[in-house]
Amino acid sequence: ISYPEGTIPYCGTDYVLMEKVPKGYEGYGGTKTVSFKLDQEGKVTVTGGSAVAETVDGVITIKVENRRTADLSIYKCDETGKRLEGAVFALYGPEVRNTDDILEKDGKKYYYISEKTTGTEGEVVFTNLVYGNYYLVEKEAPEGYHIIEEPRLVELKEGTVQDTICTVKVINRKKDPHITGTGGKGQPDHHYDHPQYEGRHRPRQPADHDAGR
């Protein structure tokens, strides 16, 4: 926005910038607005919306930040690739939301966003998430499968997001009715996350009484 030197049109009048938010950015599909006002000296003041504005040499510059977003698609399956219904996932993120349900990891707080249950296709989708770190918590495992108790870190960033979607596969191991004990720390022997999950270990090799399954 510019005007001739020495002239300030419509001083004291409110202006509104309207933006149709592009795909892959916060508020996609909606309209983002920024309101501002000019005074007699050409100073611009933002009166509504989130933006930074200044006037230099007769030119008004308004900087509006659009944060990148993505959808998070979770697939729940077993070791054979069979999709699993009935897994309940809760997602926690860095932005302050529900202060009654907070997950603390590595000295940082993550706030409850929502909870979803996998259907017959074994999928849940959390939409319109701003780029950043999130934690996925399995609240309930599908019937007949071990629950994954360790929260899983999910990073939304360049490289993990393809066409505005980040896809994560989570594998559960089926319970063995012949094994009733727990691991050394009171956790089920078969408690583990996706084999590619950084920082986790693959399950132990079958014991003698597992052989021949």
Side-chain angles (χ1 to χ4, degrees):
I1 301 173
S2 63
Y3 53 88
E5 185 176 355
T7 64
I8 305 175
Y10 308 110
C11 292
T13 300
D14 285 324
Y15 293 84
V16 177
L17 290 177
M18 302 183 66
E19 173 199 17
K20 184 177 180 181
V21 182
K23 183 178 180 180
Y25 290 87
E26 188 176 23
Y28 167 60
T31 301
K32 190 170 186 176
T33 62
V34 175
S35 303
F36 64 96
K37 180 181 291 186
L38 289 172
D39 65 15
Q40 292 289 342
E41 298 178 352
K43 180 181 178 182
V44 59
T45 303
V46 175
T47 57
S50 179
V52 177
E54 64 178 356
T55 304
V56 178
D57 297 329
V59 178
I60 299 172
T61 300
I62 299 178
K63 182 179 180 180
V64 181
E65 180 182 4
N66 290 70
R67 298 190 297 178
R68 295 289 302 273
T69 62
D71 293 345
L72 175 60
S73 177
I74 308 297
Y75 285 96
K76 168 66 73 173
C77 62
D78 66 11
E79 294 174 298
T80 69
K82 176 185 175 182
R83 300 289 181 90
L84 300 178
E85 181 180 4
V88 180
F89 288 105
L91 187 67
Y92 293 77
E95 296 190 342
V96 179
R97 296 172 185 251
N98 184 352
T99 57
D100 294 329
D101 192 351
I102 300 174
L103 175 68
E104 294 196 27
K105 297 292 291 185
D106 299 326
K108 296 181 180 180
K109 293 182 178 181
Y110 295 84
Y111 300 87
Y112 175 85
I113 297 174
S114 64
E115 193 171 286
K116 296 179 182 288
T117 304
T118 59
T120 56
E121 294 299 316
E123 181 185 18
V124 294
V125 180
F126 297 91
T127 60
N128 200 32
L129 301 172
V130 176
Y131 273 31
N133 290 347
Y134 294 81
Y135 275 92
L136 188 67
V137 177
E138 186 170 332
K139 296 288 189 177
E140 294 181 26
E143 184 176 357
Y145 291 83
H146 287 289
I147 194 170
I148 298 171
E149 297 182 359
E150 181 68 20
R152 175 171 182 169
L153 173 64
V154 177
E155 297 177 281
L156 299 185
K157 62 181 182 179
E158 296 291 341
T160 67
V161 176
Q162 302 294 329
D163 193 25
T164 72
I165 299 175
C166 176
T167 302
V168 175
K169 182 190 292 184
V170 182
I171 299 175
N172 283 64
R173 190 175 185 187
K174 197 170 185 178
K175 290 181 179 179
D176 188 331
H178 302 294
I179 298 178
T180 58
T182 61
K185 294 185 180 181
Q187 303 294 344
D189 282 338
H190 295 313
H191 171 72
Y192 76 106
D193 204 338
H194 189 289
Q196 296 181 353
Y197 176 43
E198 183 177 358
R200 301 288 293 167
H201 298 283
R202 296 183 64 87
R204 64 174 176 79
Q205 295 298 316
D208 291 341
H209 55 271
D210 292 331
R213 285 193 296 149

